[in-house]
Amino acid sequence: METRTVQFRIYRYDPDKDAKPWMQDIALELESTDRKLLDAIVKLKAKDDSIAFRRSCREGVCGSDAMNINGKNGLACLTDVDDLKQPIVLRPLPGLPVIRDLIVDMTQFFNQYHSIKPYLVNHDPLPERERLQSPEDRDELDGLYECILCACCSTACPSFWWNPDKFVGPAGLLAAYRFIADTRDQTTSERLDNLEDPYRLFRCHTIMNCVDVCPKGLNPTKAIGKIKDMMMRRAV
Amino acid sequence: MAVAVRKFDAVIVGAGGAGLRAAIQLSEAGLRTAVISKVFPTRSHTVAAQGGVAASLGNSEEDHWHWHMYDTVKGSDWLGDQDAIEFMCRKANEVVIELEHYGMPFDRLDNGRIYQRPFGGHMSNFGEKPVARSCAAADRTGHAMLHALYQRNIKANTHFFTEWMALDLIRDEDGDVLGVTALEMETGEVVAFHARATIFATGGAGRIYHSSTNAFINTGDGLGMAARAGIPLEDMEFWQFHPTGVAGAGVLITEGVRGEGGILRNAQGERFMERYAPNAKDLASRDVVSRAMVTEINEGRGCGPNKDFVLLDITHLKPETIMKRLPGIHEISLRFAGVDPIRAPIPVVPTCHFQMGGIPINYRGQVVAPKSGSPEVPVPGFYAAGECSCSSVHGANRLGTNSLLELLVFGKSAGETAVNDLRMGRREHKPLPKEAIDRTLARLSRLENQKDGADVHETRLAMQRVMQKHAGVFRFKDLLEEGVTEIMKVADQVKMAQINDKSRVFNTARIEALELDNLIEVAKATMVSAEARKESRGAHVRDDAPDTPEHPDGRDDDNWIKHTLWYSEGNRLDYKPVHLDPLTVESFPPKKRSY
């Protein structure tokens, strides 16, 4: 089988052993069937079992294997090795505390997601059948509900780096708009109140890094713009 | 080593669809509930389900739960328990409507109702013609469902232990289940979760095979824990090979593609399913389609330079339909097959997908095992749901969209039964036996001190190759017998598996070694059960049990309408009767399956 050698530089940090993080240079033989970056990292781990990273579905729907790849956030399982300049530099997602190697502590990211109350609220008595929703109204959720919470976007956002405790960040705001846009949800006004704050929403300065890195092709900036519009309209 | 003990009313292991659905039941009942998950809940493998969830809502054409029940019994090749199947099909509308009320973004019909599409083996009027029964959110139904269930749990304030791996089941001398031991990945700390009710929802073990649609995390942890604790595993010989995994990559392409009109073609461009299933064609049951594909490939009509795949063609569908109903498939084809399905067909092969067997449960979600002559006695304090369990609604072959339904129905049912048992005061915190955590500590200490042992990665690979070769789509007497010997050799290696990394913090090498202990239990169960079942049925088809007039499809109904039970201790088998009696309707007697 045809093989090729690929050069990697990987961020390493094990708090049990390392006083500070360091970069490891590794060369790896890959077979023609090893197409995705995740295939390569799994192979690296077979050689050195101390390399730590998260992974699960390997098809871009679970959101586990987000990392910083040659300076840009992305999912290892959706990235073609041969599209990357060598050495392939792998670092943990920026802006969050590193637990070990490529694994970051995502507590702040999830806290922000939880802070927007990401669940449908409807106070009407439950109907016997499904609530009705027109196909057009349902279309409003496209581009919003598909988020996989990988955190590529929020950890590419300078506003989130500076204020991860106060700024909801692109992923959380996309989720906020997903419920605002849902005709079945009755708490739009409370949802806007929850975001009316100098930091929570308005720290978005439309830098659009989130759009640039989203592995699902979603557009948090657009959703944030819609929330800002609604906020403005209700103010006048 | 001192081990901290944490007390809860209930502990749920696994945060996929079944675990999250059970958690809603318990949390909303006000019980202190811990959900332990190896991954953040929305990363569980339910997220990868695509095509839909079955319910006879009848939104676009007439449908009935009784027809759904018939299809499921037939799909199971009469190995399914008809009481559990009736229960599931009757409950389908209720649990799907609930999910809609939770906020699940189902696609909609023009009248505002939930969109439904046809799916393999789902027919109207007792097998007459395909019916639109699969409730879908584009081709991302599992993702939409898992997120909706997680979101409902946020609302219910469920207590999650994320990135904790459950290690062993705790049972006392009466056999009662009192909780689990678990490892916190971030710190390496071991804790005993002491509970009045323990619910397993740990998913499948598709990673025992080399080529699988399953996620890395699908390592059969619940099955391994149960088997080590003396609980038998049921019907483990039955594994579903999904007809359409992307050739080479193994990534799933939903049957919904064929539900929307996709066609399978061989190298001659022929729609070969017309020969194998003249009525249902490409929408025949999965075992039937997978065997047809492998037969085409074996007889030289495969595609590509090695003639080792067939083509899934949707180029005749409108591009708008593809982008509206199958956007995820469009993306997967581009990324993993390098093909734009609007313009060219997708290369596919049957790929290991789903485990029909599992931890034996009844339709109330109670784990049951033989005791003093009775085949199904509930194990006090122990419940299970979803792919890790065997109710058995799928019997020898599962219909597409019945897995998402199963996890909703039995997640809820296990949760309800546990809530009732706790409320009625039937379950107290029994004292933890002194040796409760010994098994776990012994495993960890063995791993810590192992020298000159086997490499985890290599051993896992050896297991996967044995399973792939010896227990695939078609099974052969000689290969099955050899397979039992081979897998027992690998099992000896697993006992000596060694890791080099001994760090405490987020040691994923240790996690993978502990997962291998679970995988190997499932692999042994599969191999031994498959070798012993001397007939062909559903997904289990052997060369020495061919289709004959006396035994249609190689099925031996006189001797083999029974469930297999495999015990880890002694590597031995037992059998128990199939429930042929439904709850309220007439039994569907066995007959030859044709689509």
Side-chain angles (χ1 to χ4, degrees):
Chain A
M1 198 181 286
E2 214 177 306
T3 64
R4 61 201 192 281
T5 306
V6 179
Q7 304 291 331
F8 289 88
R9 289 206 80 194
I10 303 184
Y11 177 101
R12 301 301 306 269
Y13 175 63
D14 177 353
D16 263 4
K17 289 194 295 215
D18 303 319
K20 57 179 200 257
W22 54 287
M23 297 302 288
Q24 182 181 22
D25 290 298
I26 315 179
L28 181 70
E29 285 283 298
L30 289 182
E31 288 165 16
S32 56
T33 47
D34 299 318
R35 289 180 53 204
K36 301 294 178 189
L37 177 58
L38 183 62
D39 300 332
I41 303 172
V42 166
K43 218 158 216 187
L44 280 174
K45 189 169 178 67
K47 282 175 64 172
D48 173 357
D49 69 4
S50 72
I51 297 174
F53 56 95
R54 294 185 176 106
R55 83 283 180 269
S56 184
C57 77
R58 60 83 165 86
E59 58 190 61
V61 293
C62 79
S64 298
D65 63 347
M67 56 186 72
N68 188 270
I69 305 158
N70 281 352
K72 188 175 172 183
N73 293 351
L75 299 182
C77 61
L78 294 185
T79 304
D80 281 313
V81 175
D82 292 341
D83 289 349
L84 297 170
K85 200 168 139 268
Q86 296 183 33
I88 297 170
V89 182
L90 302 179
R91 293 173 179 274
L93 289 175
L96 293 175
V98 175
I99 296 174
R100 176 176 172 175
D101 297 343
L102 299 174
I103 296 175
V104 291
D105 180 348
M106 298 183 73
T107 308
Q108 285 175 321
F109 173 79
F110 290 127
N111 282 348
Q112 290 298 356
Y113 174 68
H114 294 155
S115 81
I116 62 99
K117 299 196 164 76
Y119 43 81
L120 193 84
V121 183
N122 181 311
H123 302 296
D124 291 342
L126 286 178
E128 284 169 56
R129 292 288 306 262
E130 66 265 51
R131 293 193 182 92
L132 300 181
Q133 187 173 47
S134 72
E136 296 71 33
D137 286 341
R138 167 60 185 77
D139 285 350
E140 293 298 314
L141 307 182
D142 283 344
L144 305 173
Y145 82 94
E146 301 94 325
C147 173
I148 58 173
L149 299 175
C150 66
C152 280
C153 60
S154 293
T155 61
C157 172
S159 299
F160 189 77
W161 294 336
W162 293 322
N163 298 105
D165 53 335
K166 295 183 190 144
F167 175 50
V168 172
L173 290 169
L174 185 82
Y177 187 65
R178 177 248 173 275
F179 289 99
I180 291 171
D182 196 323
T183 49
R184 300 170 295 173
D185 189 272
Q186 297 175 328
T187 55
T188 296
S189 158
E190 289 90 326
R191 291 184 187 281
L192 293 178
D193 291 347
N194 179 327
L195 298 173
E196 190 143 30
D197 167 288
Y199 286 92
R200 284 178 63 72
L201 170 70
F202 289 102
R203 282 285 135 164
C204 169
H205 299 307
T206 57
I207 300 165
M208 304 209 19
N209 282 1
C210 53
V211 183
D212 191 37
V213 298
C214 177
K216 304 308 285 182
L218 308 179
N219 190 331
T221 307
K222 193 171 152 200
I224 294 168
K226 288 187 173 173
I227 304 176
K228 284 180 178 172
D229 278 353
M230 293 177 88
M231 209 76 103
M232 296 302 180
R233 263 185 280 129
R234 82 168 184 170
V236 293
Chain B
M1 185 170 155
V3 165
V5 177
R6 300 196 63 156
K7 255 186 178 176
F8 288 87
D9 290 321
V11 54
I12 298 173
V13 185
L20 291 181
R21 186 61 193 80
I24 291 171
Q25 223 57 35
L26 289 149
S27 291
E28 291 187 348
L31 295 164
R32 271 171 49 76
T33 306
V35 180
I36 298 174
S37 176
K38 286 198 289 190
V39 294
F40 182 75
T42 64
R43 318 224 186 282
S44 309
H45 198 52
T46 303
V47 80
Q50 297 171 354
V53 50
S56 55
L57 295 173
N59 282 355
S60 44
E61 55 185 316
E62 190 188 355
D63 201 3
H64 198 282
W65 66 261
H66 203 191
W67 300 347
H68 183 194
M69 178 185 168
Y70 171 79
D71 296 339
T72 304
V73 172
K74 177 181 170 186
S76 82
D77 216 354
W78 280 274
L79 193 73
D81 284 340
Q82 296 196 20
D83 54 348
I85 294 175
E86 178 180 342
F87 181 79
M88 178 176 82
C89 296
R90 293 182 80 129
K91 280 272 190 186
N93 290 10
E94 168 192 320
V95 293
V96 167
I97 297 295
E98 259 168 9
L99 199 61
E100 194 282 327
H101 292 164
Y102 293 165
M104 165 113 175
F106 281 110
D107 285 4
R108 300 291 172 153
L109 296 162
D110 285 340
N111 65 7
R113 297 212 176 274
I114 294 171
Y115 170 78
Q116 298 188 277
R117 62 161 63 108
F119 234 80
H122 290 281
M123 320 282 272
S124 65
N125 203 18
F126 307 104
E128 204 171 278
K129 61 176 183 19
V131 67
R133 185 178 289 150
S134 166
C135 310
D139 54 1
R140 304 187 179 103
T141 312
H143 171 279
M145 179 186 286
L146 188 65
H147 281 251
L149 289 171
Y150 176 62
Q151 289 160 354
R152 183 72 179 195
N153 273 286
I154 298 172
K155 196 177 179 196
N157 278 322
T158 302
H159 193 157
F160 286 100
F161 289 81
T162 297
E163 293 179 332
W164 285 66
M165 181 180 175
L167 299 180
D168 283 293
L169 194 63
I170 302 174
R171 297 181 80 183
D172 67 8
E173 56 187 10
D174 303 328
D176 289 17
V177 168
L178 307 181
V180 291
T181 53
L183 174 82
E184 184 180 30
M185 296 187 194
E186 186 176 338
T187 60
E189 190 193 351
V190 177
V191 169
F193 286 80
H194 188 193
R196 296 196 285 147
T198 302
I199 302 181
F200 271 16
T202 57
R207 284 276 159 177
I208 62 168
Y209 284 90
H210 190 239
S211 169
S212 170
T213 65
N214 282 203
F216 282 101
I217 56 171
N218 290 16
T219 54
D221 298 336
L223 288 88
M225 286 187 273
R228 283 193 299 274
I231 309 278
L233 302 182
E234 179 175 347
D235 290 345
M236 291 305 296
E237 60 270 45
F238 298 102
W239 282 85
Q240 177 160 84
F241 287 77
H242 194 290
T244 56
V246 172
V251 175
L252 175 70
I253 299 281
T254 174
E255 191 168 295
V257 169
R258 283 170 282 138
E260 296 289 345
I263 291 170
L264 290 164
R265 297 188 191 283
N266 61 20
Q268 283 124 40
E270 183 204 4
R271 183 181 193 180
F272 57 86
M273 279 314 298
E274 287 179 333
R275 280 189 278 119
Y276 296 88
N279 186 26
K281 300 188 180 76
D282 301 89
L283 285 177
S285 175
R286 286 181 180 170
D287 56 337
V288 173
V289 179
S290 282
R291 279 196 291 275
M293 291 167 69
V294 172
T295 304
E296 289 300 300
I297 292 167
N298 288 348
E299 292 179 357
R301 292 185 294 278
C303 308
N306 301 320
K307 301 184 172 196
D308 55 359
F309 57 82
V310 300
L311 293 170
L312 176 58
D313 186 3
I314 50 171
T315 55
H316 54 287
L317 299 188
K318 286 192 196 128
E320 306 88 81
T321 307
I322 295 174
M323 296 315 289
K324 176 83 192 163
R325 301 293 180 206
L326 305 167
I329 291 313
H330 184 253
E331 187 186 329
I332 285 174
S333 304
L334 284 172
R335 290 189 193 268
F336 289 94
V339 162
D340 180 350
I342 293 174
R343 293 185 183 81
I346 312 162
V348 290
V349 289
T351 306
C352 170
H353 182 57
F354 186 87
Q355 140 201 316
M356 266 74 75
I359 301 167
I361 62 168
N362 58 26
Y363 67 85
R364 296 181 187 90
Q366 297 169 302
V367 174
V368 291
K371 194 176 177 183
S372 8
S374 174
E376 289 168 334
V377 178
V379 178
F382 197 22
Y383 312 81
E387 191 172 342
C388 76
S389 70
C390 180
S391 45
S392 124
V393 285
H394 310 306
N397 170 67
R398 171 173 75 78
L399 296 188
T401 69
N402 268 354
S403 61
L404 289 186
L405 177 60
E406 169 191 28
L407 59 82
L408 290 174
V409 168
F410 295 102
K412 180 175 183 180
S413 161
E416 277 178 340
T417 306
V419 168
N420 282 338
D421 287 352
L422 298 185
R423 284 238 173 101
M424 302 294 283
R426 279 201 282 270
R427 298 285 314 153
E428 293 308 320
H429 276 105
K430 289 179 79 180
L432 282 183
K434 197 162 57 63
E435 61 279 14
I437 49 166
D438 288 358
R439 187 202 314 272
T440 297
L441 295 182
R443 285 174 69 205
L444 291 171
S445 138
R446 201 278 304 157
L447 197 56
E448 208 60 23
N449 300 312
Q450 182 72 47
K451 292 201 173 56
D452 306 318
D455 178 79
V456 170
H457 177 80
E458 292 300 327
T459 310
R460 186 175 51 214
L461 204 56
M463 170 196 69
Q464 291 171 334
R465 290 195 170 128
V466 170
M467 297 312 294
Q468 198 77 27
K469 179 176 169 193
H470 295 269
V473 174
F474 283 106
R475 294 168 176 189
F476 303 88
K477 182 174 185 291
D478 299 351
L479 280 175
L480 287 168
E481 286 165 5
E482 267 173 47
V484 172
T485 315
E486 292 297 314
I487 207 67
M488 295 314 290
K489 281 190 208 155
V490 177
D492 286 338
Q493 298 283 301
V494 173
K495 284 183 202 148
M496 312 256 295
Q498 181 182 346
I499 53 175
N500 297 312
D501 180 9
K502 305 286 168 72
S503 286
R504 277 177 312 116
V505 175
F506 229 114
N507 186 330
T508 49
R510 183 175 291 135
I511 297 298
E512 288 187 28
L514 294 165
E515 287 174 336
L516 185 57
D517 287 343
N518 298 325
L519 283 165
I520 196 66
E521 294 295 333
V522 179
K524 283 190 293 183
T526 300
M527 215 64 226
V528 172
S529 305
E531 191 279 324
R533 184 174 283 271
K534 311 291 186 197
E535 62 155 0
S536 296
R537 185 181 298 274
H540 176 70
V541 166
R542 15 188 325 155
D543 65 332
D544 55 346
D547 185 18
T548 61
E550 307 85 71
H551 296 297
D553 299 327
R555 230 169 58 193
D556 179 358
D557 289 344
D558 292 337
N559 295 303
W560 284 101
I561 295 198
K562 58 185 179 186
H563 295 296
T564 308
L565 295 174
W566 174 84
Y567 288 87
S568 180
E569 195 176 355
N571 199 16
R572 70 185 171 90
L573 294 173
D574 192 3
Y575 292 90
K576 69 174 183 180
V578 171
H579 299 192
L580 292 171
D581 290 328
L583 298 171
T584 66
V585 292
E586 296 266 304
S587 180
F588 290 113
K591 61 176 184 181
K592 186 176 164 74
R593 244 165 115 225
S594 59
Y595 283 98

